[in-house]
Amino acid sequence: NDFAAKAVLQALPSIRDAFYLIQNDDPESMPSAKLQAVLTKLATNVGKDESVPSCLRDHLLALARHYEGSHDEAEDLYLKALKEYDQIAGATLLSAVCQADLGELKFSMADFDDAAFRFRLAAAKAQSAGPPALEFDIYAKCREVDSLRRTA
């Protein structure tokens, strides 16, 4: 997948640091100064880097806004990134990840029906792109079930 590979490689220095801290730690328990530094680096380095495709910039800025608690802005950025990903051949896997991130936002907002829908779409998109990574497939399906469980 040339588009995905090139896009991620262009943003990799900032993504690596930010995602390691954000995805492996609970933001609630992270020291606020550390989290703010990660978000600032992400927003500054990736958000203004014109060599990074706009869909990836929007996606990463959505993550930053999500973890800052700016849920409306994050949702708008996720939706914008999804529209852009869907117009690009070879961006299906990145679109699947973005869909799952939007599912996480909806889950954190207690919109469990939409969260389940987003996780289901993420799994379907990943599968349509070819054999998905087993971990992503399990993650998306488990988060969908967890969301559905909370709607009952």
Side-chain angles (χ1 to χ4, degrees), residues 1-7 89-94 129:
N1 183 323
D2 287 344
F3 174 80
K6 288 177 185 174
T92 306
L93 290 175
L94 287 173

Side-chain angles (χ1 to χ4, degrees), residues 10 19 22 24-25 27 34 43 59 69 76-77 79 82 84 88 90 96 102 106 114-115 118 127 137 146:
Q10 287 169 329
F19 278 118
I22 291 172
N24 290 323
D25 289 325
K34 183 177 181 183
H59 183 179
D76 291 344
L77 286 163
L79 292 171
L82 284 166
E84 294 173 29
I88 300 170
L102 179 54
K106 292 297 191 168
D114 198 20
R118 298 297 173 175
Q127 289 172 357
D137 199 35
D146 193 23

